[in-house]
């Protein structure tokens, strides 16, 4: 099938159905969201300060879902309540990572308490549209209490606003601003979960904004052979146009090995490496891999390194996970540092669930 296809379904987990969402592009798996039993990113707690860890420059916090870790000590005393938001998934056995920089994010709007100002996504280039959106934001938030908080709140209008219905944008702004105001009015008290993070279906609506056919019927995963595509992610081998790539997570980092296969021509190395660069962000996203990533590339002349870096940089621009291109090692490997924004696929899905 050509174009984008969004599928909202459930996987059969050991404890019952697991909410899941899939984005396909031209019949290829583009993105994959699967729920888990861990606190979702975006969850907001009223947490209680527990004990500082000066060597790590932070403090453990008490939440209803277990211990959380905040990289902040200044101004906190044990037992004090504080609003925090889950910023990512915790590694097994570690505290939940949280931040005090709360964001209230929806499809069109992001309310930013503590960061005043009304802003429009830089991806919207048309000045007339930008002016219209700013005027809409001013009218919608005129006199709203979130702008009067200390520190004052702000707003970011997302790129999805460019072709959206103004009434829907205004409704999104009001909903997020009202939610933020309610949360900040409820900052005192015992440890409590105040807002749950969005699940896969809500995240799909919020983040997958490209025009797409949407299917929500139970069994749509099986109908579009999604289970086979997910099962393939448990195998390290990734066929490339001009070679093969192996993506293998270890305890310390993710190792990526790029080979040319049967092609032994002088240009084979660069061809395989460029193909790997274009597909690597998708493979890491689908597999839920973050942290340190080390690429053992196919042999190519040093003069071709800028071409590889350019292809990788372009591919990362369309990926929503923060990734730093750390550069070349003395042995000729290439290193990345990627935010742990998702749980590894192996922690939320078993081969039996997609077999």
């Amino acid at each position: 099938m050509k174009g984008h296809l969004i599928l909202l379904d459930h996987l059969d987990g050991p404890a019952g159905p697991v909410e899941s969402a899939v984005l396909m592009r031209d019949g290829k798996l583009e993105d994959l969201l699967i729920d888990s039993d861990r606190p979702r990113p975006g969850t907001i707690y009223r947490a209680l300060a527990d004990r500082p860890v000066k060597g790590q420059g932070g403090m453990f916090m008490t939440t209803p879902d277990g211990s959380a870790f905040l990289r902040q000590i200044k101004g906190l005393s044990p037992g004090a309540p504080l609003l925090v938001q889950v910023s990512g998934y915790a590694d097994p056995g570690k505290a939940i990572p949280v931040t005090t920089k709360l964001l209230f994010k929806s499809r069109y709007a992001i309310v930013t308490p503590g960061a005043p100002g009304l802003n429009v996504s830089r991806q919207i280039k048309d000045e007339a549209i930008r002016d219209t959106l700013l005027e809409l934001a001013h009218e919608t938030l005129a006199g709203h209490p979130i702008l009067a908080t200390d520190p004052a709140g702000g707003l970011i209008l997302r790129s999805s606003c460019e072709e959206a219905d103004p009434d829907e944008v205004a409704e999104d702004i009001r909903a997020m601003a009202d939610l933020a105001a309610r949360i900040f009015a409820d900052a005192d008290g015992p440890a409590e979960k105040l807002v749950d993070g969005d699940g896969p279906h809500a995240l799909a609506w919020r983040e997958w904004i490209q025009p797409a056919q949407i299917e929500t019927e139970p069994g749509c995963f099986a109908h579009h052979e999604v289970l086979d595509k997910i099962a393939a992610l448990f195998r390290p081998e990734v066929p490339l146009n001009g070679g093969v790539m192996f993506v293998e997570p270890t305890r310390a980092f993710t190792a990526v090995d790029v080979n040319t296969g049967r092609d032994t021509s002088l240009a084979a190395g660069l061809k395989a490496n460029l193909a790997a660069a274009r597909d690597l962000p998708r493979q890491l996203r689908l597999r839920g891999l973050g942290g340190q990533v080390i690429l053992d590339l196919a042999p190519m002349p040093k003069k071709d390194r800028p071409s590889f870096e350019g292809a990788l940089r372009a591919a990362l621009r369309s990926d929503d996970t923060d990734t730093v291109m750390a550069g070349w090692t003395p042995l000729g490997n290439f290193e990345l540092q990627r935010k742990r924004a998702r749980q590894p696929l192996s922690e939320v899905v078993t081969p039996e669930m997609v077999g």
Side-chain angles (χ1 to χ4, degrees):
M1 175 180 290
K2 294 294 184 180
H4 288 90
L5 173 65
I6 294 174
L7 305 173
L8 307 181
D9 202 350
H10 292 76
L11 296 175
D12 292 328
V18 179
E19 185 178 305
S20 308
V22 160
L23 175 64
M24 307 275 288
R25 182 174 67 180
D26 299 335
K28 184 168 68 173
L29 195 61
E30 185 70 18
D31 206 349
L32 172 64
L33 301 171
I34 301 174
D35 209 0
S36 76
D37 56 0
R38 297 187 193 176
R40 298 166 173 167
T43 297
I44 297 175
Y45 297 109
R46 186 198 306 119
L48 301 180
D50 188 359
R51 56 187 174 86
V53 187
K54 293 184 179 179
Q56 298 182 35
M59 176 171 281
F60 283 109
M61 310 290 293
T62 299
T63 80
D65 293 325
S67 181
F69 184 73
L70 174 68
R71 292 194 177 279
Q72 175 183 334
I73 295 179
K74 187 176 180 181
L76 293 179
S77 57
L82 188 67
L83 295 177
V84 297
Q85 187 170 44
V86 177
S87 57
Y89 285 105
D91 291 333
K94 294 189 177 182
I96 306 164
V98 295
T99 177
T100 56
K101 296 179 180 179
L102 276 57
L103 295 177
F104 296 83
K105 184 182 291 188
S106 190
R107 185 178 177 92
Y108 302 115
I110 304 175
V111 170
T112 59
L118 303 182
N119 302 286
V120 178
S121 168
R122 288 193 292 266
Q123 295 183 39
I124 300 178
K125 306 297 184 182
D126 190 302
E127 289 298 328
I129 295 176
R130 294 177 64 87
D131 291 343
T132 299
L133 288 171
L134 284 173
E135 184 178 353
L136 175 65
H138 279 287
E139 292 176 354
T140 304
L141 286 180
H144 197 282
I146 193 60
L147 299 185
T149 55
D150 185 21
L155 175 73
I156 300 171
L157 293 174
R158 308 183 70 190
S159 59
S160 51
C161 293
E162 186 165 15
E163 298 180 3
D165 183 284
D167 290 339
E168 293 183 5
V169 175
E171 181 181 349
D172 239 18
I173 295 172
R174 278 191 294 270
M176 291 299 98
D178 290 348
L179 177 60
R182 289 198 302 271
I183 294 301
F184 276 84
D186 198 17
D188 294 323
E192 182 181 350
K193 180 190 288 186
L194 302 178
V195 175
D196 202 356
D198 287 336
H201 291 182
L203 277 174
W205 171 80
R206 194 183 88 188
E207 301 297 334
W208 297 345
I209 61 173
Q210 54 270 78
Q213 177 184 337
I214 301 174
E215 294 188 17
T216 61
E217 297 80 6
C220 61
F221 280 4
H223 177 71
H224 289 279
E225 301 179 344
V226 166
L227 302 184
D228 292 339
K229 298 178 188 300
I230 297 175
L233 297 173
F234 285 92
R235 299 189 291 270
E237 184 175 353
V238 180
L240 299 172
N241 179 21
V244 61
M245 172 170 62
F246 295 86
V247 182
E248 300 180 271
T250 71
R251 183 180 295 273
F253 55 82
T254 295
V256 179
D257 182 31
V258 183
N259 295 322
T260 59
R262 296 181 180 180
D263 190 347
T264 58
S265 65
L266 292 176
L270 177 60
K271 181 179 179 182
N273 292 336
L274 291 177
R278 297 183 187 109
D279 199 38
L280 182 62
R282 184 178 73 96
Q283 291 296 331
L284 296 176
R285 181 171 65 246
L286 293 174
R287 297 162 192 259
L289 299 177
Q292 188 178 5
V293 183
I294 300 180
L295 283 68
D296 182 10
L297 297 167
M300 67 177 179
K302 284 189 176 181
K303 66 180 180 63
D304 289 334
R305 287 183 175 183
S307 297
F308 165 79
E309 293 177 39
L312 181 58
R313 188 175 293 108
L316 289 170
R317 279 195 212 102
S318 61
D319 187 69
D320 61 358
T321 300
D322 292 338
T323 304
V324 176
M325 295 173 56
W328 300 93
T329 72
L331 294 179
N333 296 326
F334 193 84
E335 293 187 331
L336 304 173
Q337 185 66 36
R338 185 174 175 86
K339 181 180 178 181
R340 298 184 187 274
R342 301 186 181 186
Q343 282 185 260
L345 181 68
S346 59
E347 294 181 9
V348 294
V349 178
T350 64
E352 292 75 20
M353 292 169 63
V354 294

